[in-house]
Amino acid sequence: MGVETSGHVGKVWRITRCRILHTLIGHTASVFAGDLSDTGSEAVTGSADKTIRIWNCHNGQCNRTIQLSKVDPIVAVSYSSDYIAYAHGSTVSVIHLTNNDSIFEHSEHKDSENPEKVLGDTTAVCEKRGGGGGGNSGGVWGCGGGNGGGD
């Protein structure tokens, strides 16, 4: 499966059969980014409306909307287990989905004109390495890997 973004919607595709499974309707501004969960059961989209939406790939329904404040439009997303990494402007942020806590932020990336590169350089943040408390209170967060996608 794959996620396409176009206008104010996302689309979940069954790539092997070249057909759209669901059109994801709910954003109020342009949708710039999409990704699939590790299992392919959920899709995530990011938009200029400053929301991230998590969708059920089996029925096309929105399971959750995360309203972000004080951010530029979301231009790239990566979904991994309990975390979502997203790029907005020249900043990459990661939130934990259990409580929407921000656990990582990296500003002024050298490739701010290329949001996919910014996100790709930061996406292994979803694997905590080392000890420490939760959130920003300790631990070392990995920074490598690439953003998801999926066919």
Side-chain angles (χ1 to χ4, degrees):
M1 283 196 290
V3 179
E4 171 194 10
T5 60
S6 175
H8 288 65
V9 300
K11 295 179 182 179
V12 177
W13 283 80
R14 169 86 53 210
I15 293 174
T16 56
R17 296 201 174 134
C18 295
R19 70 180 191 110
I20 297 171
L21 295 177
H22 299 288
T23 299
L24 310 173
I25 299 171
H27 285 288
T28 59
S30 295
V31 178
F32 295 125
D35 194 18
L36 291 173
S37 65
D38 298 337
T39 64
S41 63
E42 291 183 310
V44 63
T45 54
S47 170
D49 65 9
K50 301 179 183 181
T51 65
I52 294 173
R53 292 181 182 256
I54 300 173
W55 307 85
N56 181 313
C57 285
H58 302 291
N59 63 22
Q61 297 297 306
C62 182
N63 291 339
R64 183 171 179 185
T65 300
I66 302 167
Q67 180 69 53
L68 302 166
S69 59
K70 301 179 185 173
V71 299
D72 293 320
I74 287 74
V75 294
V77 292
S78 181
Y79 187 12
S80 179
S81 187
D82 291 334
Y83 304 91
I84 291 179
Y86 61 98
H88 50 105
S90 62
T91 302
V92 173
S93 301
V94 179
I95 55 174
H96 192 284
L97 292 175
T98 302
N99 52 18
N100 288 349
D101 277 353
S102 177
I103 58 171
F104 178 85
E105 189 166 285
H106 177 67
S107 297
E108 302 305 320
H109 191 281
K110 63 183 178 191
D111 287 317
S112 62
E113 296 300 313
N114 183 351
E116 292 294 331
K117 173 78 169 120
V118 173
L119 192 57
D121 285 351
T122 313
T123 297
V125 292
C126 299
E127 292 182 21
K128 188 172 181 185
R129 298 180 186 151
N136 291 320
S137 63
V140 178
W141 293 89
C143 294
N147 67 337
D151 342 66

